[in-house]
Amino acid sequence: MVRIAEIEAGSIADELHLEIGTRIIRINGEPVRDGIDLTFLLAEPDVEMEMVTPAGERVIYEVDREPGERLGIVPAPDTVRECANKCVFCFIDGNPQGVRTSLWLRDDDFRLSFTYGNYVTLTNLGSRGLQRLVDQRLSPLYVSVHATEPEVRARLLVNERAGLVMDQLRFLTGAGLEVHTQVVLCPGWNDGEHLDHTIDDLWSLGPGILSLSVVPVGLTRYNLDRPVRLMTPAEAERALPQVDAARERALKERRQGWCYAADEMFLLAGHPIPEAAYYDDWPLTENGVGSLRRAMDDFDEGISRVPRLSRRRIILVTGRSMGPFFEERAARLRKATGAEVEVVAVTNRFYGETVTTAGLLAGRDMLDAARERWRELECAGGSGATRAAGEADLVLLPAEALNADGLFIDSFSLDDFKAAVSPAKVVTGYEITEVLRAL
């Protein structure tokens, strides 16, 4: 059942005087379970809709439409299927108070996987649920595999159904669906020979498995007492050749890398970030695979076009692990523009110092770090002494630290950040063309 949340003005639904709050029960005799069903069933030009009004009246509408003509119904968001697993590395258990409300949601919903690329485990889907994925061709999907050996995966997810993943993936790919997979690598649990086993198993399922990303486990200061622990640099160093071996096979047999190590794996091991060719067509940047390379290349792409910007100040804010990469680029930006350029590599006080990526920085941590850096310059009698603490012409923030509503992970808003550093301009992202537009 789906409830109508909005009705588009001038649409068929508007002409029918449908009411907000009306529940759509069936379309052409088929039950409407959620928004996915609604989309599929409304694809037919002629529909018979069975509804229940807010007053409880059951009504039926027959609609004949021209091909492509919109009905004008905007459904209310579906209730999200929550996760039934108790993963030993669950990042949500490491959330502090004050984190964005949405980050408390333990979603494991195939609909969010299909529509937004969220990773799911499939443990809450039985045979009927899997068949629905096939019937409605919900592809590609994004699946957190972690391990293909049943006992290893069940131990990681603390769910006996977790051991069914290979059968589930074999069914989906055998029916023509495509799947991106990931492994969150936990030392002593699913690394070493277990990672090799997982790579080989997923490869054996054929080209329906579009990719495998290998991500080092992340823990905050609030869940460091979990059974798992953070990877050491040496362990990351040992995992990278396993990924590389899988890539060599994939490049030889399918002409695509297929298996990718996350940016954090290279940073932890002290390895250079790969060039753009490593990431093929960039399918996994939202999963931390290639996002740093893309940011670096975007920054580099425009460096030759920048004008002289003497007597200007630019603050470039990033996470601690990415600070060294931007220090080198800041030096080039200073030389090209004549501007004062400062890199502020922020220590994550919100989650703890074990979290070093820019995408998980809190707005208040970034604001405090920028202000603190300029106070240091004032005290040292440096170039910052001519301006008030925290004042700058331009502040560059990591775009991935914000959600679509302009909120940082600590619920601090971008608008509040801008007000706090006014009259400086604030740009999210490190592309030089954005800098030029802002100054």
Side-chain angles (χ1 to χ4, degrees), residues 36 40 109-118 120 133 136-142:
I36 295 284
F40 274 85
D109 196 317
F110 68 88
R111 296 166 299 189
L112 298 181
S113 183
F114 172 63
T115 54
Y116 296 107
N118 291 14
V120 295
L133 299 180
Q136 295 184 328
R137 313 305 299 170
L138 301 185
S139 174
L141 295 168
Y142 295 75

Side-chain angles (χ1 to χ4, degrees), residues 7-8 10-19 70-73:
I7 295 171
E8 297 175 3
S11 65
I12 293 174
D14 194 14
E15 293 175 2
L16 291 174
H17 302 293
L18 298 184
E19 297 179 73
R70 292 174 57 83
L71 190 61
I73 289 175

Side-chain angles (χ1 to χ4, degrees), residues 16-283:
L16 291 174
H17 302 293
L18 298 184
E19 297 179 73
I20 291 175
T22 294
R23 291 170 291 155
I24 306 172
I25 306 300
R26 289 182 181 84
I27 295 176
N28 292 340
E30 297 291 331
V32 181
R33 294 164 290 189
D34 51 35
I36 295 284
D37 273 351
L38 183 69
T39 299
F40 274 85
L41 294 171
L42 287 181
E44 297 294 328
D46 301 334
V47 293
E48 179 185 270
M49 301 182 295
E50 183 179 346
M51 302 182 175
V52 177
T53 69
E57 180 185 3
R58 188 174 293 265
V59 293
I60 294 177
Y61 293 92
E62 294 184 358
V63 178
D64 298 329
R65 294 178 291 166
E66 294 295 325
E69 186 180 6
R70 292 174 57 83
L71 190 61
I73 289 175
V74 179
D78 296 318
T79 300
V80 174
R81 288 188 176 208
E82 295 198 37
C83 184
N85 307 310
K86 298 179 180 178
C87 299
V88 294
F89 53 85
C90 181
F91 194 83
I92 292 177
D93 291 340
N95 277 336
Q97 294 299 318
V99 74
R100 283 196 310 249
T101 303
S102 60
L103 295 177
W104 287 110
L105 181 61
R106 298 174 186 267
D107 70 274
D108 198 10
D109 196 317
F110 68 88
R111 296 166 299 189
L112 298 181
S113 183
F114 172 63
T115 54
Y116 296 107
N118 291 14
Y119 280 85
V120 295
T121 66
L122 303 178
T123 57
N124 59 5
L125 289 180
S127 58
R128 291 175 62 184
L130 292 171
Q131 187 62 51
R132 179 187 177 183
L133 299 180
V134 172
D135 291 343
Q136 295 184 328
R137 313 305 299 170
L138 301 185
S139 174
L141 295 168
Y142 295 75
V143 177
S144 289
V145 174
H146 307 316
T148 54
E149 296 164 276
E151 66 281 3
V152 177
R153 192 169 192 255
R155 184 168 171 247
L156 280 164
L157 273 61
V158 194
N159 187 331
E160 289 302 318
R161 285 189 55 79
L164 301 174
V165 69
M166 278 297 291
D167 290 337
Q168 293 172 317
L169 292 174
R170 191 175 291 111
F171 174 77
L172 295 175
T173 56
L177 270 60
E178 296 179 318
V179 183
H180 291 283
T181 61
Q182 76 163 348
V183 166
V184 172
L185 204 56
C186 304
W189 290 69
N190 62 343
D191 59 346
E193 63 182 19
H194 299 301
L195 177 59
D196 285 333
H197 196 293
T198 297
I199 291 171
D200 290 342
D201 278 350
L202 294 175
W203 180 258
S204 73
L205 294 177
I209 301 297
L210 296 177
S211 71
L212 168 61
S213 53
V214 181
V215 184
V217 65
L219 300 172
T220 79
R221 63 189 173 105
Y222 298 97
N223 64 351
L224 282 172
D225 59 347
R226 302 305 296 264
V228 295
R229 61 173 175 79
L230 294 169
M231 294 189 73
T232 65
E235 288 164 339
E237 181 87 33
R238 287 195 292 271
L240 285 174
Q242 295 176 273
V243 173
D244 289 340
R247 290 180 55 78
E248 289 177 13
R249 175 173 59 184
L251 288 166
K252 181 179 179 181
E253 297 183 21
R254 298 182 191 168
R255 297 184 178 180
Q256 193 170 32
W258 185 75
C259 190
Y260 311 88
D263 299 350
E264 277 296 299
M265 191 77 77
F266 293 101
L267 295 175
L268 184 58
H271 283 214
I273 297 297
E275 296 300 318
Y278 179 94
Y279 302 102
D280 296 315
D281 56 353
W282 306 90

Side-chain angles (χ1 to χ4, degrees), residues 388-401:
E391 184 183 341
D393 291 304
L394 184 68
V395 179
L396 277 69
L397 302 177
E400 61 269 28

Side-chain angles (χ1 to χ4, degrees), residues 308-316 333 337-342 370 374 383-384 386-397 417-418 420-428 434-439:
R308 297 297 293 178
L309 299 170
S310 57
R311 300 180 62 82
R312 299 293 185 95
R313 177 184 296 162
I314 300 171
I315 302 175
L316 197 161
L333 190 57
T337 64
E340 302 170 17
V341 184
E342 282 289 325
W374 291 113
S383 59
T386 60
R387 307 187 189 199
E391 184 183 341
D393 291 304
L394 184 68
V395 179
L396 277 69
L397 302 177
F417 192 105
K418 289 179 177 179
V421 299
S422 180
K425 295 180 180 179
V426 177
V427 171
T428 57
E434 293 292 333
V435 176
L436 296 176
R437 280 199 289 266
L439 285 174

